[in-house]
């Protein structure tokens, strides 16, 4: 893993300015870009650490505050260790903000994030990858479906409500995807029951999307988030292997 350099940047969207975390290898080169979508708890130290690890593998990583319409980071008064079962009032902060981010707004913001990366000297020319966690898994799908010419790799981990009866359900976005898809589901996840997993896989197959989905046995919703009660070290390690394999195929880096 190489040394990395991270900073806060501002991205102009149609609805105001989104703060974001940008991190890249600590050199003057341009590197393949990854748009990293946060979970519902927001842009916080743990997500920055995840982005740093990804940048250390040779990528320029952008983590936008997708709740920017509600304010700049930090939006929520979160404990260092997040356990919604022990402190259900956490959801009183998070849920109302999360519900304001509609699929339409998410797609509109994605255009701004992708445009910013296209103009950044830290991002290599060409398509990008995107990865998302929990809520962010849905955002990754909306982005890849709306901008297929820009997204070569789509990853999602412990995403919830991926295939519902909603007219704008994420699984209905997959028909537009031209990049490769990998999703790692949690089998202990009430927000993604087996029937939704089956419908999601069916949608990807019928759309002819190159994909692989796996169910991580014993993992809970949020398993990659080390600052939460859902964290699962084994599942997280498996996620890193799958994510980096996907990005290495879709966004090849120059070899010395």
């Amino acid at each position: 893993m190489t040394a990395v350099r991270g900073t806060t940047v501002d991205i102009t969207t149609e609805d105001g300015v989104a703060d974001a975390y940008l991190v890249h290898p600590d050199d003057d080169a341009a590197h393949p870009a990854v748009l990293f979508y946060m979970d519902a708890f927001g842009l916080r130290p743990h997500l920055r650490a995840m982005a740093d690890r990804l940048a250390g593998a040779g990528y320029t990583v952008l983590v936008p505050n997708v709740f920017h319409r509600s304010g700049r980071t930090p939006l929520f008064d979160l404990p260092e260790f997040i356990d919604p079962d022990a402190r259900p009032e956490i959801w009183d902060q998070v849920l109302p903000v999360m519900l304001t981010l509609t699929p339409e707004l998410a797609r509109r913001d994605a255009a701004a994030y992708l445009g910013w990366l296209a103009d950044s000297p830290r991002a290599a020319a060409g398509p990008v990858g995107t990865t998302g966690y929990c809520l962010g898994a849905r955002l990754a799908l909306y982005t890849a479906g709306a901008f297929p010419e820009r997204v070569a790799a789509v990853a999602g981990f412990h995403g919830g409500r991926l295939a519902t009866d909603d007219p704008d359900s994420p699984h209905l976005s997959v028909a537009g995807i031209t990049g490769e898809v990998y999703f790692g589901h949690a089998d202990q996840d009430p927000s993604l029951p087996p029937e939704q997993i089956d419908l999601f896989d069916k949608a990807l197959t019928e759309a002819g999307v190159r994909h692989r989905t796996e169910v991580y046995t014993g993992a809970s919703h949020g398993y990659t988030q080390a600052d939460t009660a859902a964290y699962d070290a084994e599942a997280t390690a498996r996620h890193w292997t799958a994510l980096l394999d996907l990005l290495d195929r879709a966004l090849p880096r120059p070899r010395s």
Side-chain angles (χ1 to χ4, degrees):
M1 305 294 282
T2 63
V4 301
R5 188 189 316 162
T7 187
T8 298
V9 298
D10 286 341
I11 300 172
T12 301
T13 77
E14 290 188 33
D15 301 307
V17 174
D19 57 300
Y21 180 62
L22 177 73
V23 60
H24 51 81
D26 191 10
D27 57 29
D28 294 324
H31 297 271
V34 178
L35 177 56
F36 182 123
Y37 280 119
M38 66 189 215
D39 65 353
F41 295 128
L43 182 48
R44 59 196 192 279
H46 171 64
L47 289 188
R48 292 185 180 91
M50 290 182 71
D52 289 351
R53 178 167 176 172
L54 191 51
Y59 298 97
T60 289
V61 184
L62 181 69
V63 192
N65 167 22
V66 302
F67 297 149
H68 62 88
R69 293 172 184 82
S70 297
R72 295 180 68 87
T73 302
L75 281 174
F76 309 124
D77 181 20
L78 297 173
E80 289 188 12
F81 183 74
I82 303 168
D83 185 354
D85 288 339
R87 295 185 57 181
E89 69 273 13
I90 290 173
W91 285 116
D92 294 337
Q93 300 179 58
V94 174
L95 189 58
V97 174
M98 183 174 68
L99 293 176
T100 65
L101 184 59
T102 65
E104 178 185 359
L105 294 178
R107 294 184 183 99
R108 201 154 77 198
D109 285 347
Y113 305 148
L114 293 172
W116 192 93
L117 283 170
D119 292 338
S120 172
R122 298 297 179 188
V128 308
T130 183
T131 186
Y133 300 84
C134 302
L135 161 73
R138 300 201 298 271
L139 302 181
L141 287 171
Y142 290 136
T143 299
F147 303 97
E149 74 288 353
R150 292 285 288 124
V151 180
V154 190
F157 300 92
H158 47 80
R161 296 184 56 78
L162 297 179
T164 70
D165 294 333
D166 190 278
D168 214 349
S169 173
H171 80 287
L172 301 177
S173 297
V174 305
I177 294 175
T178 57
E180 184 180 351
V181 172
Y182 176 88
F183 266 61
H185 307 307
D187 78 336
Q188 304 297 310
D189 188 349
S191 70
L192 194 71
E195 58 269 23
Q196 285 198 36
I197 293 175
D198 291 344
L199 184 55
F200 182 59
D201 283 345
K202 181 180 178 182
L204 289 166
T205 299
E206 291 183 347
V209 177
R210 288 172 296 151
H211 71 279
R212 182 161 63 99
T213 63
E214 297 182 307
V215 177
Y216 291 16
T217 303
S220 300
H221 183 82
Y223 61 75
T224 62
Q225 304 303 298
D227 60 351
T228 75
Y231 178 64
D232 183 311
E234 183 178 347
T236 298
R238 181 177 175 182
H239 129 275
W240 280 117
T241 297
L243 175 60
L244 292 171
D245 284 351
L246 171 69
L247 295 176
D248 199 43
R249 287 193 302 275
L251 305 174
R253 290 159 291 157
R255 303 297 184 184
S256 57

